[in-house]
Each structure stands twice: as structure tokens, then as C-alpha cells.
Amino acid sequence: MVNEIQKKGKTFYQCGECKFIYLTKELAEKCENWCRENNSCNLDIIKQAVEIDKEK
Ligand SMILES: [Zn+2]
């Protein structure tokens, strides 16, 4: 299940499997489908993940 995260007035989308966060729901769903089917992460997808907790 992709989680929506509200942060600094923006919406981010988190893969429910690996917890990586994306700017678009499409990417998060793509990641989640991959994670669920392959039980691993797709590097081509997670390199597009964003880190929102590092910003202060
Ligand atoms: Zn994932």
C-alpha cells in the first residue's frame, strides 16, 4: 500500500514495502509492485527516490 506523506506543503509517496519515498504516486506504485513480486528493490527505481527527512 502506497502511503501519502504531507511535508512542507508537498505530497510525497512512500512504497509500503521498502519505505523509499517518491515524488510521484506512479513511481511509488511501480516500486511497490516490484518489491512485492521480486522481494527486492529495483535500483533503476530507487535511484529516483527522494530523502525528505534529511532536509531541515
Ligand atoms: Zn519499494
Side-chain angles (χ1 to χ4, degrees):
M1 187 73 195
V2 171
N3 299 310
E4 282 190 24
I5 296 171
Q6 307 286 336
K7 194 131 182 172
K8 294 176 185 170
K10 288 183 185 173
T11 306
F12 299 91
Y13 302 90
Q14 183 182 42
C15 170
E17 298 291 317
C18 69
K19 310 298 183 197
F20 276 101
I21 294 162
Y22 300 92
L23 291 173
T24 66
K25 195 171 190 175
E26 196 186 351
L27 271 174
E29 284 174 347
K30 212 165 140 185
C31 182
E32 193 171 88
N33 288 336
W34 182 279
C35 288
R36 203 179 288 137
E37 284 171 24
N38 299 280
N39 253 323
S40 70
C41 286
N42 183 332
L43 285 180
D44 284 336
I45 298 175
I46 62 173
K47 73 183 177 191
Q48 297 176 78
V50 292
E51 298 204 39
I52 59 176
D53 289 332
K54 280 189 175 173
E55 296 175 34
K56 286 200 174 155

